[in-house]
Amino acid sequence: MRPGGQPNMQQMLKQAQKMQQQIAKAQAELAEAEVTGTAGGGLVTATVSGSGEVKGIRIDPKAVDPEDVETLEDLVVAALHNAAEAAKELTDQKMGPVAGGMGGLGLPGF
């Protein structure tokens, strides 16, 4: 801060630009990353990007029972949910340090 309590605008702008670069880098890393979620002891596996885009579903043939499609549907939903949680954790890891720096500009953190 400058005398008189006024923040140095040039320094704040520099910090904002640096954080913008860090955010862009973290977002790119998230888009490239893949995480998996499983259900039914691995009978169903869902793969999603770090940003949450579904990339694939793998279903073990043992999970396919024409008489009980509802259980398979539940396993797919559970695997997707598990993968979404993993993607959120990855996002928190990548974006947390960057978002934490927002407080340094006098802005509320995320």
Side-chain angles (χ1 to χ4, degrees):
M1 286 244 220
R2 291 175 152 172
Q6 294 297 315
N8 181 332
M9 293 302 285
Q10 186 175 11
Q11 183 180 2
M12 286 179 59
L13 182 58
K14 239 180 170 174
Q15 284 180 315
Q17 288 172 337
K18 182 179 177 182
M19 283 194 313
Q20 185 178 23
Q21 290 170 347
Q22 290 172 331
I23 289 170
K25 180 182 176 195
Q27 287 173 331
E29 289 173 1
L30 284 170
E32 292 178 20
E34 288 188 356
V35 295
T36 59
T38 62
L43 291 175
V44 177
T45 302
T47 303
V48 300
S49 70
S51 58
E53 179 185 348
V54 177
K55 296 290 190 171
I57 298 283
R58 188 191 61 74
I59 300 172
D60 187 307
K62 293 180 223 165
V64 180
D65 179 357
E67 302 294 320
D68 188 12
V69 174
E70 191 173 296
T71 296
L72 179 55
E73 293 169 343
D74 290 344
L75 289 173
V76 170
V77 170
L80 287 168
H81 180 72
N82 188 255
E85 287 178 359
K88 183 188 178 317
E89 288 177 18
L90 182 62
T91 299
D92 291 347
Q93 289 173 0
K94 295 281 185 189
M95 299 299 283
V98 178
M102 297 294 279
L105 290 177
L107 301 172
F110 289 37

